[in-house]
Amino acid sequence: MMDHATRVGNLLLTALPPADFALLALHLRKVVIERDSVLVRSGDRIEQLFFPLKGAIADITELPNGQTVATAIIGHEGAVGLTSSLGASVSPTTAVVRIPGTALQISRAQFLAAQHRSPAIASMVQVFTMSLLAQLQQVAACNALHSVEARLARWLLHIHDRANGGDLLPLTQETLSELLGVRRTTVTHVVSTMRASRALKSNRRGQLEIDRPRLEALACECYQVMSREIDRIVSRGAIGLVHGAPARGASHLPGSRRAGTSS
């Protein structure tokens, strides 16, 4: 059985009382999540759940005309496929690994069996769902009201929060176009502008080197709003789980790099 201490890499699993975590531990398998790998595609049946320990995963919404836009970034504060335990077994989005790392994997069937036996696990699902909804709502407002430059700065900060260390992010301009839902020509212009302001130090092939303080100055207020809200939700929910009580709030997202953990 997986030792209780090994779950510290994911905040949701860490928040579970030992007895409740034990219901999952026999079935959790540590896997490598590689850059650009697709964990689940939109419209596919969700068969596996992933609890990231390191790395960043983008939830991508795909439109009928082929355009894409990111709606959320998930790291060690959350999970991929977890909302399927609320009833819907088909994924509404495509989950793509943007920063490689590791995750704990469990089948949906095994997770559901444990959830039915554990109010704490059921509360954990609610905690994450609330934090995800908070992120989705803020992203929707941000996409409607703020410039592409401010939005790109926000996404880069969210990804950097979940990166494995260092200021070099393995992101191509094609990936940035997918995140933002804009043309490659728009991304090229925005990246050039951000390089001129030195928020981006360099733009190597397939990599972006950021200057975090300058990036924070360019980002809209949505970055701080999202960070604080998800932080508040997850931390409040996690406290309830640790003490064996149903979570009343949402979950705790690492809005800044201070929240980083290791597997």
Side-chain angles (χ1 to χ4, degrees), residues 69-247:
V69 64
T71 52
I73 296 290
I74 298 170
H76 74 280
E77 82 291 342
V80 173
L82 188 60
T83 55
S84 70
S85 61
L86 296 174
S89 60
V90 174
S91 178
T93 58
T94 296
V96 185
V97 177
R98 288 306 173 209
I99 301 293
T102 55
L104 295 177
Q105 179 181 355
I106 185 173
S107 75
R108 180 172 180 266
Q110 290 167 335
F111 183 86
L112 287 176
Q115 180 183 338
H116 291 156
R117 298 174 58 189
S118 168
I121 294 177
S123 293
M124 178 187 72
V125 174
Q126 295 174 10
V127 165
F128 172 70
T129 301
M130 292 182 70
S131 69
L132 185 61
L133 286 175
Q135 190 171 175
L136 294 175
Q137 290 170 345
Q138 195 67 38
V139 166
C142 185
N143 287 347
L145 299 174
H146 296 139
S147 69
V148 175
E149 183 181 41
R151 289 163 50 204
L152 177 56
R154 173 178 58 77
W155 279 128
L156 292 177
L157 289 170
H158 286 313
I159 292 172
H160 188 235
D161 288 340
R162 298 161 176 82
N164 299 332
D167 293 333
L168 203 60
L169 303 179
L171 301 171
T172 65
Q173 289 201 11
E174 182 179 359
T175 297
L176 299 182
S177 175
E178 181 181 63
L179 285 171
L180 293 165
V182 299
R183 297 177 182 274
R184 283 279 301 276
T185 52
T186 301
V187 171
T188 299
H189 173 72
V190 172
V191 168
S192 177
T193 300
M194 294 173 76
R195 287 184 66 187
S197 67
R198 295 190 291 175
L200 296 179
K201 297 179 183 178
S202 64
N203 182 18
R204 308 177 191 177
R205 184 174 179 83
Q207 293 182 317
L208 288 177
E209 185 179 5
I210 70 167
D211 183 306
R212 187 175 176 99
R214 288 188 170 92
L215 206 60
E216 289 176 343
L218 288 178
C220 55
E221 65 271 22
C222 293
Y223 171 70
Q224 293 295 339
V225 171
M226 290 170 67
S227 298
R228 286 195 302 267
E229 179 63 10
I230 299 174
D231 213 35
R232 180 190 68 79
I233 290 172
V234 177
S235 58
R236 182 178 299 179
I239 289 172
L241 293 176
V242 167
H243 288 84

